[in-house]
Amino acid sequence: MKKIVILGSGAGGTMVAAKLHKELIGEGWQITIIDKDPMHHYQPGWLFIPFGIYTPQECVKPKADFIPTGVDLVVDEVVNVDREKKQVKTKRGQYDYDWLVIATGCRIVPEETDGMMDDWRGDVHDYYSLDGATALYKRWKYFNKGRVVVNIADMPIKCPVAPLEFVFLADWFFRENGVRDDIEIELVTPLDGAFTKPVASKVLGDVCEEKNIKITPNWSIDNVNVSKKTIESVTGDAIPYDLLVSIPLHSGARVISDSGLGDPMGFVNTDKGTLKAADHDNIYVIGDATNVPTSKSGAVAHYESDIVVENILLEIEGQAPKPEYDGHST
């Protein structure tokens, strides 16, 4: 029995599993997805939880609901990938593979910013996790006066437009609650404007100005000073907050670094055209786990899944993979 193992059953891993299963059914291939969490998180929904638009329950469904019959779903934590033996080790077992697809996503690491954890979920919050978004809703649904600072610690982050969506929703939320005039909203970003693309950045920056949302660009955070309630930059500048909403540093999954598969940030070195792991045979990478220079989003994973599946099928048939991925997103 020939084996394909997929690490992670988020959007990318699930799409690859479904498409490979459709193409290889009856061909003697066993497809296994391994993920430590049995529940699928609709991550775009996290953005709406702090505003009471979605509930946490609306953003979570069993992963088994999305896995095709005939694909094995293993709920276990991956602890190591042995490329020499072509073997994945988990807390409860091990799995040999002929082909490996890494779809382990990325995670926030607020602990990497000095001081951030000193008041985590007090006056320092995030919405890039289900728990964080839920806690933020509870913290600020009665917030009626003060300074809300939204800070992007550094790039890359999941869904680069989400911080702008957040400040626009915050403007709406506080207006609906009748307190917007008493609340300042400031987006503090390492980018040189409101967004990553110059034309969009200009337009969106003008919208922020119309909504009285301050944009502070080119900001590189050094630490959170909880005692002073400020964020401080590497150049010594300080911005005060009453409530800090952080988009913390992002990193790849821990197992990627532990297995020697990652770059310094824990993302897999990936050929940006073929989506094959740059330094390893028989391994492809998809979604947030890659270090491909494109957005980390479900839309990107959707387009990447077609390339990953096509190239695995080509290699199974003895052909060279095609370098067709162009960073496309929507």
Side-chain angles (χ1 to χ4, degrees):
M1 178 72 75
K2 295 168 288 187
K3 299 177 179 179
I4 297 173
V5 175
I6 302 169
L7 307 185
S9 60
T14 301
M15 285 188 283
V16 168
K19 292 174 182 180
L20 282 174
H21 176 67
K22 181 179 179 181
E23 295 293 333
L24 294 173
I25 190 168
E27 299 290 330
W29 284 89
Q30 179 183 18
I31 302 172
T32 302
I33 301 184
I34 306 173
D35 198 303
K36 65 181 179 181
D37 190 346
M39 305 303 289
H40 176 80
H41 292 258
Y42 178 61
Q43 296 186 45
W46 294 345
L47 171 68
F48 299 100
I49 291 173
F51 307 100
I53 298 171
Y54 283 179
T55 66
Q57 293 74 24
E58 290 176 306
C59 298
V60 181
K61 303 284 185 183
K63 285 180 175 174
D65 291 355
F66 307 101
I67 307 298
T69 301
V71 173
D72 297 328
L73 173 60
V74 175
V75 180
D76 199 352
E77 183 174 353
V78 178
V79 296
N80 184 259
V81 177
D82 188 326
R83 284 101 62 201
E84 299 299 323
K85 294 182 179 179
K86 294 172 72 172
Q87 188 176 82
V88 172
K89 296 181 180 179
T90 68
K91 284 188 172 181
R92 295 193 294 270
Q94 59 188 36
Y95 300 84
D96 298 327
Y97 66 84
D98 294 285
W99 290 95
L100 181 69
V101 178
I102 297 176
T104 47
C106 65
R107 60 197 173 101
I108 58 170
V109 284
E111 64 274 12
E112 293 295 324
T113 300
D114 287 347
M116 189 168 288
M117 300 306 293
D118 293 347
D119 194 26
W120 192 242
R121 307 280 163 80
D123 287 328
V124 181
H125 284 262
D126 80 288
Y127 61 93
Y128 266 60
S129 64
L130 181 64
D131 290 345
T134 304
L136 179 55
Y137 172 67
K138 294 177 181 178
R139 169 65 178 82
W140 82 346
K141 62 181 177 178
Y142 301 119
F143 191 84
N144 57 21
K145 186 176 183 180
R147 301 192 82 251
V148 175
V149 173
V150 180
N151 172 239
I152 304 170
D154 204 354
M155 303 298 284
I157 60 172
K158 291 185 279 189
C159 191
V161 75
L164 269 173
E165 293 173 325
F166 185 89
V167 294
F168 291 155
L169 282 166
D171 172 75
W172 163 82
F173 180 76
F174 293 128
R175 289 187 190 281
E176 286 292 301
N177 289 348
V179 296
R180 179 65 177 92
D181 290 343
D182 294 320
I183 295 176
E184 299 176 61
I185 301 173
E186 182 172 356
L187 174 62
V188 182
T189 173
L191 301 174
D192 59 7
F195 193 52
T196 54
K197 306 297 182 183
V199 174
S201 182
K202 173 66 168 63
V203 173
L204 292 166
D206 290 344
V207 174
C208 286
E209 186 174 353
E210 291 172 7
K211 292 180 177 294
N212 195 27
I213 297 169
K214 183 179 180 180
I215 304 289
T216 300
N218 302 309
W219 180 275
S220 181
I221 190 171
D222 178 74
N223 69 88
V224 179
N225 190 323
V226 169
S227 62
K228 294 182 178 179
K229 295 190 73 170
T230 59
I231 55 172
E232 300 178 357
S233 74
V234 295
T235 57
D237 297 316
I239 293 177
Y241 66 84
D242 293 300
L243 182 62
L244 174 63
V245 181
S246 174
I247 296 92
L249 291 169
H250 282 47
S251 174
R254 191 179 305 279
V255 67
I256 300 304
S257 297
D258 291 347
S259 299
L261 287 164
D263 65 13
M265 295 182 69
F267 300 112
V268 182
N269 287 314
T270 307
D271 183 285
K272 66 180 182 180
T274 65
L275 300 179
K276 191 171 184 178
D279 305 315
H280 310 288
D281 289 332
N282 299 84
I283 299 177
Y284 277 85
V285 196
I286 186 171
D288 295 354
T290 78
N291 66 354
V292 171
T294 187
S295 299
K296 294 189 180 299
S297 68
V300 165
H302 173 85
Y303 293 111
E304 288 178 340
S305 68
D306 290 329
I307 303 298
V308 168
V309 170
E310 179 184 12
N311 282 337
I312 289 176
L313 294 174
L314 283 170
E315 293 215 56
I316 286 173
E317 295 175 355
Q319 304 300 308
K322 295 180 179 179
E324 292 187 340
Y325 186 62
D326 61 0
H328 189 65
S329 179
T330 52

